[in-house]
Amino acid sequence: MRSTMPEFPLTITSIMRYGTGRFADHEVATYTGDGYRRLPYGELAREAARLAGALRALGVDGDQRVATFCWNNTEHLTAYLAVPAMGAVLHTLNIRLHPDQIAYIADHAEDDVLLVDGSLIPLLAPILPVMKTVRHVVVIGAGDTEPLLAAGKRVHGYRALLDAASDAFDWPEVDERAAASMCYTSGTTGNPKGVVYSHRSSYLHAMAICTANGMAVTSDDRVLPIVPMFHANAWGMPYGALMAGASLVMPDRFMQAAHLAKIIEEEKPTISGGIPTIFADLLRYARRHHPDLSSLRLVPCGGSAVPESLMKGLQTEFGVRLVQAWGMTETSPTAAVAHGDDWSLRVTQGRLLAGVEGRIVGDGDTVLASDGVAVGELEVRGPWVTASYHLDENPSRFHDGWLRTGDVGRLDERGYVTLTDRLKDVIKSGGEWISSVELENALMGHPAVVEAAVIGVPDERWGERPLACVVLGGEAGVAELREFLSGKVARWQVPERWAFVEAVPKTSVGKFAKRTLREMHARGELTIVQE
Ligand code: ADP
């Protein structure tokens, strides 16, 4: 029997219409370093129309890629709406990637127009000449445009272009299956891979963000996305907020603890989200300066494992509820969130959201039990989980319609995911696996430890043994840290090799750069204390 329901398209255009129309008096506030630029959503709709009109005048009349090289602010949000809604494809470039990778990505995606924040011109200028497909560069705010012209591109001022455009745009009917936006993985292994989101996947992901099991966004909320909008769609917070009618507070480039504390005190956001390093910095800052962070009622945190000590510190001392979330660029990215009051569940990577299916796969691609015990690679699939990469010549990351996440761990019957490692970081000691994530979390619970990253290093007897690279913020020696660990992990897992470092190197998206650490170790650059 056929249903009587229409195949009504799920599009970013409809998210934009609803959010900016029904909640015209809600706003996006962008922090400027000392104050805020405010734009009511009603006016945001007109800005989006002007941007679409301006891009059309530059020749964007199909599915051309419009790239952004921008911070989290009003203009980036305008592009998030206008570009997909006009039928073009938004490509958010990660400004923190290596210049060669940015150039590779822009070429691979065939970017046509590029919107750049004036403050980022110095970063873009050296790469622009090799971005062959880019015809037009649109500069947002002030900046020296000379190097852009020297690269042979047509250069325009954002404000002047928009002021010359009409504040009404005849938004086309877009196919919900058409590409809306794209984002490349940070390429920790090999070249970055392009993930192309559809209108439909973005819509369904935004709905999942709004559910209570997701980020529980309502029209009473003010959402502060601390995840960059150039990394995995700022976890879906911009579209989620517009779908719910929540206001947005944008930190622009100011993601340091002192600025964030000020923004939270002044703008009273209720929901935020970001990686553990940002919130660990905020916790340390808050312990010294005691800002009022109590407006925050829910803060999904992920991108790498969230130490229990961080969640407990923020919750008990500042009333901020950090909940762990898991996802990846390939999963739009939000796929699991760990809600509830039970700490044995709060420390997991979260419960898979409705729509996302998961399974654990062992050696030889055998599917293992989802019993919370069997350990293997996590595979996922679902309406907002990519089923391929853009122009991928070697689709080895896909397995019978499932995405191989590269993450290793367990899945239980209730859908809770517990990750122990990334496949490329696992430590195999005498045939047994040691979880670097577990060791790091335990170590970061020690009051003198600021950060800890554990890597596997060659060992004659065991094949591989863990090396703990620790950043100290107080007094602690190897003996004390080993003793501290021995109550928390099995004795044979306690590292005997230690390196005390100034800082743990980070990837472009703020994760521990373990490959860099392994290379430093191989070159003998780490001073090892052996017990
Ligand atoms: P990339 O894969 O390019 O590094 P992503 O931001 O897409 O960039 O990273 C996704 C990866 O981040 C996941 O595959 C997983 O390894 C890690 N990750 C995300 N959330 C968590 C979490 N809560 N705990 C542990 N690892 C996480």
Side-chain angles (χ1 to χ4, degrees), residues 73-213:
N73 56 26
T74 308
E75 292 74 17
H76 210 167
L77 181 67
T78 310
Y80 259 55
L81 300 178
V83 175
M86 72 183 289
V89 182
L90 177 81
H91 177 200
T92 51
L93 286 166
N94 181 345
I95 62 166
R96 301 219 175 92
L97 286 180
H98 188 277
D100 292 347
Q101 284 193 333
I102 299 177
Y104 166 86
I105 289 172
D107 240 25
H108 193 259
E110 297 172 80
D111 291 342
D112 180 36
V113 178
L114 202 160
L115 308 182
V116 60
D117 193 281
S119 65
L120 291 169
I121 292 176
L123 213 56
L124 177 70
I127 331 172
L128 193 58
V130 293
M131 291 180 160
K132 293 189 285 294
T133 60
V134 173
R135 293 182 302 130
H136 295 277
V137 179
V138 179
V139 178
I140 298 166
D144 174 15
T145 54
E146 199 46 49
L148 308 178
L149 292 163
K153 309 296 181 190
R154 307 224 0 231
V155 180
H156 315 266
Y158 178 85
R159 195 64 260 159
L161 271 192
L162 266 65
D163 284 346
S166 160
D167 63 4
F169 187 82
D170 189 13
W171 301 106
E173 288 274 326
V174 288
D175 182 338
E176 64 169 16
R177 294 162 302 182
S181 63
M182 63 192 304
C183 191
Y184 280 70
T185 65
S186 42
T188 34
T189 48
N191 268 332
K193 303 274 196 300
V195 177
V196 185
Y197 310 101
S198 63
H199 280 264
R200 176 187 161 82
S201 73
S202 308
Y203 190 100
L204 292 171
H205 180 252
M207 272 190 127
I209 295 291
C210 292
T211 62
N213 287 344

Side-chain angles (χ1 to χ4, degrees), residues 184-188 231-232 235 301-306 324-330 333 348-350 397 405-407 419 421-422 424 437 507 509 511:
Y184 280 70
T185 65
S186 42
T188 34
H231 181 221
W235 297 357
C301 185
S304 51
V306 186
Q324 179 147 205
W326 171 83
M328 48 203 305
T329 303
E330 290 86 335
T348 68
Q349 269 58 36
R397 288 290 294 274
T405 63
D407 286 330
L419 296 185
D421 254 309
R422 292 191 100 171
K424 57 188 192 301
V437 169
T507 69
V509 292
K511 295 180 212 290

Side-chain angles (χ1 to χ4, degrees), residues 44-382:
L44 175 66
R46 287 186 281 278
E47 282 285 274
R50 290 183 193 109
L51 177 57
L55 290 169
R56 180 74 26 106
L58 295 183
V60 177
D61 55 4
D63 64 357
Q64 286 96 342
R65 264 62 82 197
V66 177
T68 55
F69 205 73
C70 295
W71 306 110
N72 285 24
N73 56 26
T74 308
E75 292 74 17
H76 210 167
L77 181 67
T78 310
Y80 259 55
L81 300 178
V83 175
M86 72 183 289
V89 182
L90 177 81
H91 177 200
T92 51
L93 286 166
N94 181 345
I95 62 166
R96 301 219 175 92
L97 286 180
H98 188 277
D100 292 347
Q101 284 193 333
I102 299 177
Y104 166 86
I105 289 172
D107 240 25
H108 193 259
E110 297 172 80
D111 291 342
D112 180 36
V113 178
L114 202 160
L115 308 182
V116 60
D117 193 281
S119 65
L120 291 169
I121 292 176
L123 213 56
L124 177 70
I127 331 172
L128 193 58
V130 293
M131 291 180 160
K132 293 189 285 294
T133 60
V134 173
R135 293 182 302 130
H136 295 277
V137 179
V138 179
V139 178
I140 298 166
D144 174 15
T145 54
E146 199 46 49
L148 308 178
L149 292 163
K153 309 296 181 190
R154 307 224 0 231
V155 180
H156 315 266
Y158 178 85
R159 195 64 260 159
L161 271 192
L162 266 65
D163 284 346
S166 160
D167 63 4
F169 187 82
D170 189 13
W171 301 106
E173 288 274 326
V174 288
D175 182 338
E176 64 169 16
R177 294 162 302 182
S181 63
M182 63 192 304
C183 191
Y184 280 70
T185 65
S186 42
T188 34
T189 48
N191 268 332
K193 303 274 196 300
V195 177
V196 185
Y197 310 101
S198 63
H199 280 264
R200 176 187 161 82
S201 73
S202 308
Y203 190 100
L204 292 171
H205 180 252
M207 272 190 127
I209 295 291
C210 292
T211 62
N213 287 344
M215 297 191 193
V217 195
T218 73
S219 56
D220 292 333
D221 283 304
R222 292 176 71 76
V223 181
L224 169 69
I226 306 180
V227 198
M229 290 170 81
F230 56 71
H231 181 221
N233 309 310
W235 297 357
M237 283 182 266
Y239 292 140
L242 275 150
M243 182 178 265
S247 284
L248 279 160
V249 183
M250 292 295 195
D252 200 83
R253 76 208 67 172
F254 305 100
M255 303 221 185
Q256 305 81 359
H259 283 299
L260 293 175
K262 181 165 142 60
I263 295 172
I264 296 166
E265 283 202 307
E266 292 173 349
E267 286 296 299
K268 306 208 176 336
T270 52
I271 297 176
S272 186
I275 57 174
T277 359
I278 293 261
F279 286 100
D281 285 349
L282 184 64
L283 176 58
R284 272 192 296 279
Y285 177 89
R287 281 178 174 153
R288 284 199 306 275
H289 301 278
H290 306 283
D292 178 7
L293 308 178
S294 63
S295 64
L296 289 172
R297 65 173 179 81
L298 183 69
V299 181
C301 185
S304 51
V306 186
E308 185 176 352
S309 53
L310 174 61
M311 288 191 269
K312 285 198 165 146
L314 275 168
Q315 190 163 324
T316 54
E317 296 167 48
F318 298 96
V320 174
R321 193 181 183 82
L322 224 62
V323 295
Q324 179 147 205
W326 171 83
M328 48 203 305
T329 303
E330 290 86 335
T331 65
S332 291
T334 311
V337 188
H339 285 284
D341 289 320
D342 179 345
W343 280 99
S344 69
L345 298 175
R346 289 281 297 278
V347 297
T348 68
Q349 269 58 36
R351 189 180 232 164
L352 292 175
L353 293 170
V356 180
E357 294 180 13
R359 66 181 189 183
I360 296 292
V361 173
D363 288 344
D365 278 347
T366 28
V367 178
L368 307 177
S370 295
D371 57 3
V373 179
V375 175
E377 183 174 8
L378 174 67
E379 293 190 347
V380 291
R381 64 178 184 188

